[in-house]
Amino acid sequence: MTHDLEQANTHPSKRSPWLLEFRSSNGFILATVCVAIFTDAFLYGVVVPVLPFSLRERSGVPEDQVQWWNSFIFAVFGGAILIGSPICGWVADRTSERSISFYTGLIVLGAATVLFGLAKASWVLLISRLLQGLSAAITYTVGLALLVDTVGRDNIGQWMGTALSSSSFGLIVSPLLGGIVYAKAGYMSVFAMALALIIFDIMMRLIMIEKKKAAQYKPLDALTPKNGFYGTFTHEQPSEHEPSNGTMEPNQASDDSRDTPLLSNDPQKTLPKQSRMPTILVLLGIPRLLAAIYGIFVNVAILAAFDGVLPLYVKKIFGWNSLEAGLIFLCLAIPALSGPLVGRFCDKVGPRWIAVAGCSLTAPPLVLLRLINHDTMEQKILLCALLVCCGFTLILIVSPVAADLSAVVEEKERTDPNAFGPGGAYAQAFALFNCAMAAATLFGPVVAGAIVERHGWGAMTAAMGAFAFSGAVPAFFYTGGWIFAKDA
């Protein structure tokens, strides 16, 4: 497959690669990005119910140190993403092919998984999680930028909702499967399950062909607008041998832009030379972008907090094993499947009020989790009900803030074409998005674990509830644009 792509560069007249239309279609690119994101999220969460038990049984960590090691290992994963994402974003915006970075992520992910399977000492687990974090930095940053390259802004909310729902679903369903497999078949079976998923991910990434690469095989008259799954070529491109008059009717330009990819990522495009601030600093100076980043930080931090403290708490209160501790995450997993519907609704009504509702409505069930404090059937039912409520409200946050992030970059490029470099800024914007997610995986389990140890479960749930509500404030003022703007 990679040989097919190499032939395109040197022999454009050669026959097209096998199933070119399908491999470069909107739907298959979306599916590939979703599988990649799901795989990284799955590998993060699959050890959630396993780690507290394997640290004691496999690594020999003393019982009174298990909570610290458990939180620290998860924090290392987040720290690796936090450091790696800006670098990945900078590289991705300066390369003409996103797939090269995607393949690099595969190599890192494979090495991390092998170490995870072989690990017995706790420090080997640390290295494994470090490499998994670096892989996730590549996958999220490049994958989401690739998605933005592919679709028009009218559908970006639905597509982002689908992609990031795969992350939420992976984060939530992986503890469930990890707990079941570990309880029934042991540690190495968990490793085998992760390895099988990685092999499938590798196949998807190798089969996918970026639209820019696929366009080299298409005649000019085929580069016309298409929609739906097979929307491979979405705008007309002038022949490099034909001069363009550079004119277009104003209404036509406006209409076409709604169906064209948000970023051409054309390395040949040049801007007038002038002094320009680093792209990251330009992005960090936009309050609307910061609101989106804080929204995803709140969302992921709460999910990560559950990963860090919930298995140990239900083990303590209900005496559950790894299987039962994993099953409880099903209450959060099922609502995550509604992400595409939330994204579609966001495309129709706008992101502001959906994001505000998500943050505001997540607070009450989080605070009410403090009621879970003894072992009865009623308490177990109440725990499941509150977790389901959290799952449905948390998914309301993801799609609006992700879609708004791409809208921020597009608006900045429209108002100031020289703000970013030739490759645009989508990869670096999603690198910041990814950094927020990484910081959240660092913040959530560490802070929640520390509060539980020092002040108890009730104090932790109250703190998480207040934290969730805090996300509604910047979303109210900035998501979708400054609320007091004339066109808001």
Side-chain angles (χ1 to χ4, degrees):
M1 277 167 270
T2 55
H3 178 64
D4 290 336
L5 300 183
E6 291 170 0
Q7 283 186 328
N9 290 330
T10 56
H11 303 287
S13 61
K14 295 265 183 174
R15 64 182 179 85
S16 300
W18 178 64
L19 294 177
L20 172 66
E21 190 77 10
F22 173 78
R23 291 164 62 186
S24 60
S25 64
N26 285 355
F28 189 75
I29 292 174
L30 173 64
T32 302
V33 172
C34 286
V35 169
I37 289 175
F38 175 84
T39 299
D40 274 299
F42 186 91
L43 292 178
Y44 168 82
V46 74
V47 300
V48 168
V50 174
L51 203 55
F53 300 92
S54 66
L55 282 172
R56 182 74 184 92
E57 299 166 5
R58 185 177 170 92
S59 302
V61 175
E63 185 69 34
D64 60 349
Q65 296 181 23
V66 169
Q67 176 68 74
W68 185 89
W69 274 102
N70 189 62
S71 298
F72 184 62
I73 287 174
F74 280 107
V76 166
F77 179 91
I81 301 179
L82 193 62
I83 295 171
S85 292
I87 300 172
C88 294
W90 185 87
V91 172
D93 278 334
R94 282 159 177 77
T95 55
S96 59
E97 295 183 33
R98 308 283 194 196
S99 56
I100 295 175
S101 299
F102 240 20
Y103 298 150
T104 303
L106 278 177
I107 297 172
V108 177
L109 183 59
T113 306
V114 170
L115 281 179
F116 170 72
L118 299 177
K120 288 187 177 179
S122 53
W123 66 268
V124 179
L125 279 172
L126 280 176
I127 295 175
S128 171
R129 298 300 275 179
L130 176 68
L131 292 176
Q132 285 179 5
L134 292 175
S135 171
I138 297 171
T139 298
Y140 280 86
T141 299
V142 178
L144 294 178
L146 176 63
L147 202 59
V148 175
D149 291 351
T150 304
V151 300
R153 71 174 180 269
D154 275 359
N155 299 315
I156 194 64
Q158 180 181 348
W159 285 58
M160 283 294 173
T162 304
L164 291 174
S165 289
S166 66
S167 174
S168 298
F169 188 70
L171 284 171
I172 298 166
V173 77
S174 52
L176 165 66
L177 296 178
I180 293 173
V181 172
Y182 182 75
K184 297 296 184 182
Y187 184 89
M188 291 306 295
S189 296
V190 177
F191 164 69
M193 178 174 61
L195 186 61
L197 182 59
I198 288 173
I199 292 172
F200 182 69
D201 185 15
I202 289 172
M203 293 173 58
M204 293 284 286
R205 295 198 207 188
L206 291 177
I207 291 172
M208 184 196 75
I209 299 176
E210 287 186 68
K211 289 187 180 294
K212 296 187 301 295
K213 184 66 67 175
Q216 299 177 10
Y217 297 96
K218 302 294 289 187
L220 291 177
D221 58 3
L223 302 180
T224 55
K226 296 184 181 180
N227 295 313
F229 188 95
Y230 288 98
T232 306
F233 304 101
T234 55
H235 65 289
E236 296 181 0
Q237 296 178 357
S239 169
E240 57 185 72
H241 301 295
E242 295 179 3
S244 172
N245 58 14
T247 61
M248 182 181 291
E249 293 296 327
N251 292 337
Q252 180 185 352
S254 176
D255 292 341
D256 288 350
S257 67
R258 303 181 72 82
D259 293 322
T260 56
L262 296 179
L263 177 63
S264 66
N265 197 35
D266 183 0
Q268 302 300 322
K269 182 178 70 175
T270 58
L271 296 172
K273 291 184 178 180
Q274 66 175 48
S275 176
R276 188 171 58 228
M277 288 180 63
T279 298
I280 290 289
L281 295 181
V282 174
L283 293 171
L284 289 174
I286 305 174
R288 184 176 171 186
L289 182 136
L290 295 178
I293 288 174
Y294 186 67
I296 199 64
F297 176 81
V298 169
N299 177 275
V300 176
I302 292 171
L303 288 175
F306 282 132
D307 289 342
V309 301
L310 187 58
L312 290 172
Y313 189 70
V314 295
K315 177 186 175 184
K316 173 185 175 183
I317 297 297
F318 301 141
W320 286 356
N321 58 24
S322 64
L323 171 60
E324 294 161 325
L327 284 171
I328 194 62
F329 283 90
L330 189 62
C331 298
L332 291 166
I334 294 174
L337 296 174
S338 62
L341 296 178
V342 175
R344 179 176 295 182
F345 188 59
C346 176
D347 285 332
K348 292 182 178 180
V349 304
R352 185 191 313 277
W353 299 112
I354 300 176
V356 170
C359 294
S360 301
L361 295 177
T362 299
L366 282 175
V367 173
L368 290 174
L369 282 170
R370 67 189 294 111
L371 300 176
I372 310 301
N373 54 25
H374 57 278
D375 185 10
T376 64
M377 181 56 67
E378 290 79 8
Q379 289 274 287
K380 295 173 183 176
I381 294 173
L382 179 60
L383 174 63
C384 292
L386 292 174
L387 290 177
V388 168
C389 290
C390 287
F392 276 114
T393 55
L394 283 169
I395 202 63
L396 295 176
I397 304 173
V398 177
S399 297
V401 298
D404 206 44
L405 190 75
S406 61
V408 170
V409 177
E410 182 190 11
E411 180 180 325
K412 183 67 175 177
E413 289 187 328
R414 185 173 62 248
T415 57
D416 183 6
N418 296 327
F420 308 124
Y426 284 100
Q428 291 178 82
F430 282 107
L432 291 174
F433 193 77
N434 205 21
C435 284
M437 296 174 69
T441 62
L442 184 68
F443 174 87
V446 171
V447 173
I451 295 175
V452 168
E453 282 193 341
R454 296 184 181 183
H455 305 289
W457 172 259
M460 188 278 296
T461 62
M464 288 294 104
F467 176 60
F469 188 77
S470 72
V473 178
F476 173 78
F477 285 106
Y478 291 108
T479 299
W482 175 238
I483 192 170
F484 298 115
K486 294 181 179 180
D487 57 346

